[in-house]
Amino acid sequence: MWQKKIYCTAFAIIWLGGFINAAYAAREYWIAADEVQWDYAPTFPMNPMTGKEFTAEQRVFVEQGIGRRYQKSLYREYTEGFRALKPRLAEEQHLGILGPVIRAAVGDKIIVHFKNNTRYPASIHPHGVSYTMAHEGAPHSRAAGNEHKPDGVVAPGGEYTYAWDVPERAGPGPNDPSSIAWIYHSHVDETADTNAGLIGAIIITKKGFEDADRAPVDVDREFISLFTVFDENASLHLQSNLAACTGLCDPDDEEFQESNLMHGINGLVYGNNHGYSMRKGERVRWYILGMGTEVDLHSPHWHGATLLHNGNRLDVTEVLPAATKTLDMQPDVRGRWMYHCHVNDHINAGMMTNFIVY
């Protein structure tokens, strides 16, 4: 009898262990920081919002000084072992300048293999999830007593593997929908790193509401929007961009500084975004991200539809630097609708695009 009890207990432990391993999976990513030439307005000289050429006021941001193309550092996803760059899927086209979406469900572990292909130190610092100081991606962990401990800061050409847990407190709260967004970004020189473009989103889904890829099963489409003014005057790549500048190129000149403030949604201005497309009646989830400085108070506004945020009905919300919002929409009118920040200066500078309801 005692042998049967031992056998049954051992079987139960093995079965339970297998169940736990299946339920709490490791989500593995291969992400590099790459230097790329980024175009904030690929349709120049045409403005897609008006169907006409850019006005003199608009040309300040897309033609004056350095213009519309800048050297930047971006997060990009690779296949295992960094063998090849992963092409973006159709549903990812709207991401623009953002890094790959990191997905997990509550209870998972996230493993990110990071390679720094830029000429500057870089890292990945996550919001929301649980991590030790060795996986924080921030140099301030080298305070007294931590000088020789790893912190996740990666030198040019180096690699590092981050491990983050996804406990209950990293997932949706009682008033949240089935998934929420957090930001990840480089935190070596946070101001210069994020202005260079090193930023992306983490989406965490409530346990039991996730599909095999950890996307929420109770929505039909998901969109992510970063509202920020990329300050190219404060980017890691300012000197490289100055070398390619023609005309007014004085870093101390106020007009030149103004021309380097790129007011965009996912790093694109004046309607150059692609992929914000959906069908009438679909369940659409929007994740709104903010980043920047004291001028980065943004108020995203959707024309032609309303959304729910924590049970409240609205068509305008607000977001501050490093804050996030998750909102649900069920579009009920077909059309090509305007989607923009409602701050007047930001409208004039190009923080606008369209979403399409078929």
Side-chain angles (χ1 to χ4, degrees), residues 52-313:
K52 301 176 181 178
E53 289 197 3
F54 282 89
T55 66
E57 182 182 12
Q58 295 162 350
R59 285 172 180 264
V60 169
F61 301 100
V62 295
E63 188 177 38
Q64 186 172 306
I66 294 170
R68 69 180 198 272
R69 297 191 185 97
Y70 289 80
Q71 185 80 9
K72 299 191 73 65
S73 296
L74 304 185
Y75 291 125
R76 300 201 293 181
E77 187 173 9
Y78 284 75
T79 59
E80 183 177 349
F82 298 104
R83 289 194 296 268
L85 182 66
K86 269 192 176 182
R88 282 195 157 162
L89 304 175
E91 58 267 29
E92 299 173 318
Q93 293 306 310
H94 73 281
L95 293 174
I97 207 168
L98 290 173
V101 179
I102 296 174
R103 291 186 181 272
V106 170
D108 287 342
K109 179 182 286 290
I110 300 171
I111 305 295
V112 178
H113 306 280
F114 176 60
K115 185 176 182 180
N116 182 9
N117 292 327
T118 76
R119 72 193 82 173
Y120 305 101
S123 70
I124 301 182
H125 167 67
H127 288 217
V129 294
S130 177
Y131 47 82
T132 64
M133 294 180 78
H135 301 272
E136 184 181 10
H140 67 255
S141 60
R142 294 182 182 177
N146 293 308
E147 292 87 349
H148 304 295
K149 295 182 179 179
D151 53 16
V153 172
V154 183
E159 296 185 25
Y160 195 85
T161 297
Y162 301 98
W164 310 321
D165 291 319
V166 188
E168 192 75 29
R169 58 94 160 159
N175 295 328
D176 285 316
S178 59
S179 60
I180 58 173
W182 302 97
I183 290 174
Y184 70 87
H185 57 87
S186 182
H187 209 309
V188 183
D189 180 342
E190 185 178 357
T191 300
D193 293 358
T194 53
N195 279 307
L198 291 174
I199 186 168
I202 302 170
I203 296 179
I204 305 298
T205 302
K206 186 177 180 180
K207 198 66 183 174
F209 285 80
E210 78 278 14
D211 64 15
D213 294 322
R214 297 313 195 250
V217 296
D218 57 342
V219 298
D220 300 309
R221 294 184 193 267
E222 299 172 280
F223 297 117
I224 303 170
S225 297
L226 170 67
F227 284 78
T228 191
V229 181
F230 279 109
D231 185 354
E232 295 293 346
N233 304 291
S235 168
L236 293 168
H237 299 285
L238 175 61
Q239 294 305 316
S240 297
N241 289 320
L242 282 172
C245 181
T246 59
L248 178 63
C249 303
D250 181 359
D252 297 321
D253 183 90
E254 289 187 5
E255 288 187 19
F256 176 76
Q257 293 173 1
E258 178 73 11
S259 73
N260 289 323
L261 300 177
M262 308 307 290
H263 300 63
I265 302 172
N266 292 353
L268 294 158
V269 298
Y270 297 109
N272 274 272
N273 305 76
H274 296 283
Y276 284 127
S277 301
M278 64 208 73
R279 295 190 178 277
K280 179 180 175 181
E282 285 187 322
R283 300 164 299 175
V284 181
R285 182 156 295 165
W286 295 81
Y287 305 99
I288 308 301
L289 319 178
M291 191 53 74
T293 186
E294 71 274 5
V295 301
D296 282 283
L297 188 161
H298 302 296
S299 51
H301 171 46
W302 294 259
H303 288 211
T306 64
L307 304 91
L308 287 173
H309 177 250
N310 290 342
N312 298 307
R313 181 73 64 180

Side-chain angles (χ1 to χ4, degrees), residues 11-63:
F11 176 80
I13 291 172
I14 293 170
W15 178 86
L16 182 60
F19 173 79
I20 290 172
N21 288 335
Y24 299 98
R27 301 286 299 163
E28 195 167 16
Y29 294 87
W30 301 80
I31 298 175
D34 293 336
E35 292 191 12
V36 303
Q37 193 78 5
W38 182 255
D39 193 335
Y40 283 96
T43 60
F44 183 84
M46 297 301 296
N47 181 340
M49 297 300 296
T50 63
K52 301 176 181 178
E53 289 197 3
F54 282 89
T55 66
E57 182 182 12
Q58 295 162 350
R59 285 172 180 264
V60 169
F61 301 100
V62 295
E63 188 177 38

